[in-house]
């Protein structure tokens, strides 16, 4: 790949603010005397001419010392330092915030668990070895002498051209099984395939996986990113290729297409934050979900679905349907529809959920009610009538409310 075309891509993909920022970092790196690179998925996306919102920069050495120098010499400000990881968030004068990392060597003392940093401030070559797929190892020089030169130590460019995801060594998935879910996400996000040997190692890992200790916090993060793609095919592969074993011991039978359709039909577009969890909740039970460190709202979605599924309702009218679903989060009901195709649940979400009585407590008081339990009882009766009877008007509500008061 020619430098010129990479530079052209850089100018096409980065807005002026980002370009200005990397030139300032480049200047700072030149004067400090350290090699600086844009690295990882950003470079992959740059070559693929995908939009770029965020960049990762690595300096070959200690990023904290480099950033302190940059701040003292007025190149940028430091926002936050993580001493443990040797990373720094900086803010440039144009207000853009960028993460600068130190090169590092990581080791996995226990397979599947978090890596530990063996050395902070190693060579670029050593840093690249800790990464997941060849297409994610590319580095783009920022120093003025080689500005825009691509460094490809693993054949990443060839693999981008072949649209293949290839791990760097045979123990990669054993070290870090979250890479299996990352691979699945990249497969569908980038439209790539797993290279043959990588696919075999992935299949072998999952075949032999038997609830080995793994870091569920990271599993949750990567699963969230993967399911957020809202891809039916990705979900089906998660199930059929046994990737689900990383999150759950057993699963319910369900289809990605059904979930996708239920989401498209019933999930409001301004409520997408838990979209990923609809895919997960369809699959796993409460017990397995507990391992995943879900927050309270997320856990509620799983528990409410399980409650719905354990009952066997036989609805006589709309009011019963309403009462059956009214406590459940919409995400749980969408899962329920995906799994059972329930017409009652569909009716609840499209019609019943939004039905409200015309009268409220204040209106009842105007009709002669005094504050107390009777108001709650009457409002419930009005709602029941409104849900069960066709064209139950405001006037009908007033008549019913008066009758209840009279009978009382
Ligand atoms: P995307 O922008 O789609 O998230 P990305 O490749 O930038 O893709 P990040 O999670 O931001 O993904 O990771 C940045 C880089 O860090 C990756 O490109 C890869 O080089 C490295 N990396 C991230 N996670 C892992 C991992 N589990 N194992 C090894 N390297 C990883």
């Amino acid at each position: 790949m020619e430098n010129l075309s990479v530079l052209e891509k850089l100018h096409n993909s980065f807005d002026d603010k980002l370009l200005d920022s990397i030139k300032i970092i480049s200047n700072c790196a030149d004067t400090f005397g350290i090699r600086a690179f844009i690295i990882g998925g950003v470079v992959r996306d740059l070559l693929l001419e995908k939009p770029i919102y965020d960049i990762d920069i690595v300096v070959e050495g200690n990023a904290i010392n480099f950033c302190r120098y940059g701040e003292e010499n007025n190149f940028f400000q430091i926002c936050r330092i993580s001493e443990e990881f040797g990373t720094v968030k900086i803010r440039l004068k144009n207000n853009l915030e960028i993460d600068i990392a130190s090169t590092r060597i990581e080791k996995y003392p226990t397979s599947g668990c978090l890596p530990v940093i063996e050395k902070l401030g190693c060579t670029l070559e050593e840093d690249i070895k800790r990464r997941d797929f060849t297409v994610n190892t590319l580095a783009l020089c920022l120093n003025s002498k080689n500005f825009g030169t691509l460094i490809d130590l693993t054949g990443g460019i060839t693999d981008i051209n072949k649209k293949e995801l290839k791990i760097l060594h045979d123990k990669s998935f054993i070290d870090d099984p979250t890479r299996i879910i990352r691979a699945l996400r990249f497969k569908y996000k980038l439209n790539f395939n797993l290279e043959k040997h990588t696919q075999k190692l992935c299949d072998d890992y999952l075949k032999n996986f038997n609830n080995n200790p793994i870091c569920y916090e990271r599993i949750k993060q990567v699963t969230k990113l993967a399911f957020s793609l809202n891809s039916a095919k990705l979900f089906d592969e998660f199930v059929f290729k046994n990737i689900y074993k990383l999150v759950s011991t057993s699963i319910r039978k369900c289809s990605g297409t059904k979930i996708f359709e239920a989401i498209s039909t019933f999930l409001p577009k301004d409520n997408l934050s838990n979209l990923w969890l609809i895919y997960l909740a369809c699959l796993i039970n409460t017990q397995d979900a507990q391992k995943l460190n879900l927050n309270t709202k997320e856990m509620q979605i799983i528990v409410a679905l399980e409650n719905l599924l354990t009952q066997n309702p036989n609805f006589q009218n709309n009011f019963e349907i309403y009462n059956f679903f009214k406590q459940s989060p919409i995400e749980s009901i969408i899962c329920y529809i995906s799994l059972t195709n329930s017409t009652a649940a569909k009716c609840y979400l499209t019609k019943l959920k939004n039905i409200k009585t015309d009268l409220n407590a204040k209106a009842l008081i105007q009709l002669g009610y005094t504050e107390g339990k009777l108001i709650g009882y009457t409002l419930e009766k009005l709602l029941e009538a409104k849900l069960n009877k066709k064209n139950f008007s405001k006037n009908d509500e007033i008549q019913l409310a008066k009758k209840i008061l009279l009978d009382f």
Side-chain angles (χ1 to χ4, degrees), residues 34-81:
I34 200 167
R35 294 210 296 162
F37 307 88
I38 300 178
I39 195 149
V42 195
V43 184
R44 174 203 74 214
D45 286 348
L46 186 75
L47 297 182
L48 289 168
E49 299 179 47
K50 303 241 175 227
I52 287 169
Y53 306 105
D54 195 21
I55 59 170
D56 293 318
I57 289 183
V58 68
V59 292
E60 196 176 37
N62 187 317
I64 300 175
N65 293 345
F66 167 66
C67 291
R68 288 209 170 109
Y69 170 88
E71 185 169 62
E72 277 158 22
N73 291 279
N74 219 10
F75 285 99
F76 45 71
Q77 275 182 330
I78 292 178
C79 309
R80 213 171 34 247
I81 294 180

Side-chain angles (χ1 to χ4, degrees), residues 3 325 406:
N3 274 357
F325 291 108
L406 213 66

